[in-house]
Amino acid sequence: MENLKAKASKCIELIKEKGIEKAICSVSSNVISEFNADGGEFSLFRTLFDNSLSVTVYNKGRKGFVSVNRIDDDSISRAVENCISASESATPDEAWDVAPVTENAAFVKGCPEPDVDRLFERTEELMRDIASRHPLIIIEQMIVKHIRGESAYRNSNGVEYNTLYGEYSIELMFSAHEGSLSSSFYGSGVCTDTLEKSFITLGSIEEDLANVEKQIRTVPIEGKFIGTVLFPPQSLASVLYSALGNFCGNTTILDGTSIWKEELNKKVADERITVTSAPLDDRIICGEMFTSEGFRSENYYIIKEGILKSFMLSYYVANKTGRDRAKNASASFIMSPGDISVSDIIKGIDKGIIVGRLSGGEPSTNGDFTGVAKNSFYIENGKIVNAVSETMISGNLADLMKNLRAISSEVICDGATVLPYAAFDNVTISGK
Amino acid sequence: MLQDIISKHKPFFPSSAHTELRAQLSRSKSVTVIAGNLTTNTRNETSGVSSRVYKNGVYGFSSAAACDDEAVKNVLKAACDNAAFMDAHVRKNKAMFNALPYGKYDDKIEISDVPQKNYIEFSKELDNYIHTKYPGLSSRIVAIREDSMEKLLCTSDGFDAHFTAPRSYVYVIMSASTDSGVTVELFAPVGGCGTFDMNFTDPALLYPTVDDIYEKLMRKREGVYADAGLKTVILGGDLSGMLAHEAVGHTVEADLVLGGSVAGHNLNKRVASELVSLTDFAHTAFGVSAPLPVYVDDEGTPAKDAVLIDKGILTGYMNSRETALHFGMEPTGNARAFSFSDEPLIRMRNTAVLPGKDKLEDIISSVDDGYYLINTNNGQADTTGEFMFGITMGYEIKNGKLGRAILDTTISGVAFEMLKTVDMVSDSMNWSSAGFCGKKQPMPVGMGGPELRCKVMIGGK
C-alpha cells in the first residue's frame, strides 16, 4: 500500500509541475482467484495479477483521461504526458471540477484475504447441492471468485483515500432440461464477504433454481390483455435501473430530454415507493466509499414516498445544469419493503404475469418499453397457472411508477441491491 | 509493436500438457460530444502476458500486468500449478486434444496510435455541421470509438502467431420531439476494421450519412405504433445479421451446446427453410476480406469457416480444440480471448445468413400487410433460440408499398421455428461490425445478411 500511495502522490505532483491545477489520480493493484465450471463440470482455475493507473486532468477546463495497467515510474510519467496531450484539444468547460478536502481516510472493506481452499470447497458444495436438490438443472457456466484490491486515490485539492478491499462473488448461468425440452437460461448471483454460509442459501439462488425447473414446459399467452406484472427483485432491479437512469441520469438531464427534469420535489411515483442509493448500507457488500471526483459517498433518497428527492448526477452535470450532484455515484438501490407477502400479492392478481427476466432493448427517452417476458409465469384468478413463452409486455416506465399495486414484505439482498417484489397494473401483455 | 519475449520460453512448456503463452496489448480510445459538450475524452491501454495449461480435462490459467521474462516465468508456473490443483481435486482424466500441425503466422501490421486531438477535432466538426444544419433537433451526440488488439502467441502445438485487430467507428445519434412532446431517436455507426486514420479522413464525407439519419428521423417523428401480433415482415440486413449471431450463432457455440442449448438436439436436422444457409466466416467472405478477419485463434488453430446451416439443415458447431475433441469435429479457430488476462472462449467471428436470389423491390411488393424492419439497437437471445431484437427504424408495408415509419418496437420469435417461415431471401448483403458480443468477456464480432421475408411477433399497441 505504501508503494501505491507514493505513486499516486507522485502522479499528482507531476501534473501540478506542468501548471495544471485540477487533477485526479488513482493507482491500484489487485489479485483475482477464480474457479469456473462449464456444462456442469469444473473447467478452469485462474489467478490474475493486475494493476491500474487512471489519470484525469482538467487543463484550464479541458478534460483528459488516460488509464493503463502499468504503475512503474516511466508508465506514470507517460500516462501524465498522454493525459495532458489528450486534454489540449478538448473544449474548455469550467463545469469540470474535483472535490475539496473534507476528511481524508483509509478504508478496509469486506474480506481482503481469500481462503482459496475453502472457496473451492464451497463451490464444490454448490455443485453437489444443485445436482441433488435441482436435478433438472444444467449449469451452463459458473464463475466463483475472490478479488483482493488495494488502491490509493489522490486529487489536486489534497483529497487522499487509501482502500484495502476484498469480496467473493458467485455468478451462475443455468437452465433446466427434460429430454429434448429445456427452459430459458437464467442468471443468478451474489457478492459476499464471508464463506460461512452455503452458497445455495445466498441471495435468491435457491429460489431461482427452483423456478427455472418449473419453466421447462411453457405455454404462449393467447391474445392481448391489460394486466398486472409482478417483478421479482432481480427484474425489478432492471426496471429501476432503466427508469431512474432514463429520467434522473446524466445524459437526459444534460441534453434536456428527461421527462422528470422539472419534477424535483414533486410526486413522480406511488407514495409507497421509496428508493435510496445506499452504498454504505451494511447489506451492500460492493458499495463505493467515494465518488470519482473525490467526495465521500453518502446514502441518499432518489424517491421518498413517491416524491422525487434527487437526480443521479455527476459533479460535472450538476455544475453544468445548476443542479445538485448526487451524494454517491453508485446504483446501490434499496427499495423499502411493503407489508404484504408475495403469496398474498399473487392471490390478489386477477390476470397477469410474474416476469423473472425482461429481455428488451433500451426504453425510449419518454419511458416507453417493450420486451419479451422470459422465465415468467402466467397468473389467473390469484393462482400461478403455467410458465409462459413468446409473450411480450409493453408499457411506460413513468406510468409504471404510478401504477403500483403492491410491494412485498420480503426482500432479497444480493450484496449489490436490497429489493422486494413489486407488482404494477395496466401493463399490456400480448401473446400469439 | 509488441516485442517477442515469449517464444524463447517455449522449450520450457510442460511436456504432459497443452500450453498456450500469449502477450497482448489492447488499446481503446473514446470521445463523446453531447449537444456540443465534450463529455468523454479517454484513452485506455492494457498489456501483459498470460498462460493457459490444459491437463486431463481441466485448465489452469494465470496472467500478469507486465511483459518481461520474470512475468512470463511466473504466469507459466502459476498456470501449471492451477491446472495441477484442479486435476488433483476434480480427476476428469480426459484425453489430450488432437495434435495440430506446427506453423507460423504474422499479419505484419503495426497499429498506429492516433493522437487524441484527431478524434476531438473530427467530432467537433461533425457536431458543428449537425448543429448548424439541423438546429431544431432536441439532442445530438457524436461519438468516436476505436479499439485494437495486438497479440503474440506461442502454443505447444498448432500455430505460433503475431496478429492485430484494430477497428474504429463514428456514431451519430439524433433526437427530435414529436408534436405531442415525445422524443424519438435514431443513430447510425459508420466504420469498420482499421484504425481511425485509415477509416476517416474528412468529416465532410459523413455529411450524407448525417443527412440520411435526419431524413429518417423526420419520418420517424411522424411515425405510428406498430400493430402488435404475428406479422409478415422483411428483416433488413442488420436484422438478419443480428438473427444469425444472437438467435442461431450462440446456440451452435459448442460450449453452449454442452450447456444444454437447443442445437444439441437438432444436429443434422432441418431447422430452417431450404432458402436459409448460415456460415461463421473466418477471414474471407464472398471473395473479399470479412469485416473482422481472424486467421489464427488464441489456441493456435488456423481459422476456417464454420458452416452452421446448409440449405436449412443444421450441419455443425463452432468449436475450440476441447469441444472439437468431444464432438468429433474439426476445430474451426473460434477460440478467442479479449484481454491479456482472459482465457480463450468459443466466440463468433463474422456470422452471416447467405444471400439468395430475390430482389428487394420484389419482396416488398409481395407483402400485402406487414413491415419492413431496417435498424436495430439491441438483440438478445436464449439458448432455446427465443430471441428479442429492438427495432429503431422500420416502415409499414401496405399492398406491396412502403408506408409510414413506425416508432421503436421489439420483435421476437424462436429461431428454429421462425427460420422455417423464411420464403424469400434477397440477393444483397449488409455487414455490421461495430458491436461487442458479451459472453463472460466482450469480443468484437461481425454479422450480416440479406433481406429475409418471414413471420415474427412484433410489439406495439
Side-chain angles (χ1 to χ4, degrees), chain B residues 45 75 104:
Chain B
E45 182 174 307
V75 298
K104 280 189 181 293

Side-chain angles (χ1 to χ4, degrees), chain B residues 355-377:
Chain B
K357 294 179 178 172
D358 297 301
K359 298 292 178 193
L360 175 59
E361 52 269 29
D362 294 336
I363 304 177
I364 293 172
S365 64
S366 73
V367 178
D368 288 335
D369 183 15
Y371 297 96
Y372 177 29
L373 307 174
I374 301 172
N375 294 126
T376 175
N377 62 345

Side-chain angles (χ1 to χ4, degrees), chain A residues 110-161:
Chain A
C111 49
E113 302 312 323
D115 183 341
V116 174
D117 289 324
R118 186 69 177 138
L119 181 64
F120 183 80
E121 288 167 11
R122 283 292 186 204
T123 308
E124 267 192 315
E125 174 189 60
L126 175 61
M127 292 177 70
R128 282 197 308 272
D129 286 345
I130 292 172
S132 63
R133 289 148 73 162
H134 303 282
L136 302 181
I137 294 290
I138 292 180
I139 301 168
E140 292 179 15
Q141 184 170 68
M142 176 169 64
I143 302 168
V144 177
K145 66 185 170 191
H146 177 273
I147 179 165
R148 179 195 191 280
E150 292 179 290
S151 76
Y153 174 99
R154 302 288 184 269
N155 82 14
S156 49
N157 284 341
V159 172
E160 298 185 359
Y161 300 130

Side-chain angles (χ1 to χ4, degrees), chain B residues 119-334:
Chain B
Y119 309 112
I120 296 170
E121 287 168 2
F122 193 100
S123 305
K124 284 182 186 170
E125 194 169 331
L126 196 56
D127 179 71
N128 187 53
Y129 173 78
I130 300 169
H131 182 50
T132 304
K133 189 162 182 183
Y134 303 117
L137 292 170
S138 56
S139 174
R140 62 187 195 280
I141 299 174
V142 175
I144 295 178
R145 302 285 182 267
E146 177 170 5
D147 57 70
S148 65
M149 301 178 201
E150 181 186 2
K151 298 179 181 180
L152 274 166
L153 178 71
C154 256
T155 56
S156 47
D157 63 331
F159 272 56
D160 293 340
H162 166 258
F163 49 96
T164 56
R167 59 178 195 157
S168 54
Y169 301 88
V170 175
Y171 296 80
V172 176
I173 307 163
M174 296 187 206
S175 302
S177 289
T178 65
D179 291 339
S180 57
V182 174
T183 300
V184 292
E185 182 180 281
L186 202 57
F187 82 103
V190 183
C193 184
T195 52
F196 182 78
D197 53 350
M198 291 166 61
N199 289 342
F200 301 100
T201 53
D202 182 358
L205 296 175
L206 297 190
Y207 294 167
T209 302
V210 169
D211 297 340
D212 183 55
I213 299 169
Y214 181 80
E215 186 187 327
K216 286 179 176 166
L217 182 67
M218 290 302 104
R219 291 201 63 178
K220 187 172 172 181
R221 188 174 165 273
E222 307 294 329
V224 295
Y225 285 105
D227 183 25
L230 185 66
K231 301 289 179 185
T232 298
V233 304
I234 303 169
L235 299 182
D238 275 4
L239 270 301
S240 60
M242 184 75 84
L243 184 79
H245 176 94
E246 293 288 352
V248 179
H250 281 301
T251 69
V252 290
E253 291 171 326
D255 51 347
L256 296 190
V257 174
L258 290 169
S261 88
V262 66
H265 302 288
N266 283 286
L267 192 63
N268 298 318
K269 293 181 182 172
R270 176 163 298 284
V271 296
S273 88
E274 63 181 14
L275 298 175
V276 177
S277 293
L278 197 153
T279 295
D280 181 56
F281 292 98
H283 47 76
T284 306
F286 313 112
V288 297
S289 180
L292 300 174
V294 174
Y295 287 87
V296 177
D297 77 0
D298 294 321
E299 293 183 335
T301 304
K304 60 183 182 183
D305 297 346
V307 178
L308 305 170
I309 297 176
D310 184 22
K311 297 184 179 66
I313 307 297
L314 182 66
T315 53
Y317 304 144
M318 289 170 279
N319 283 290
S320 64
R321 294 182 68 177
E322 183 185 19
T323 62
L325 180 66
H326 178 90
F327 286 110
M329 297 176 174
E330 291 292 314
T332 41
N334 285 85

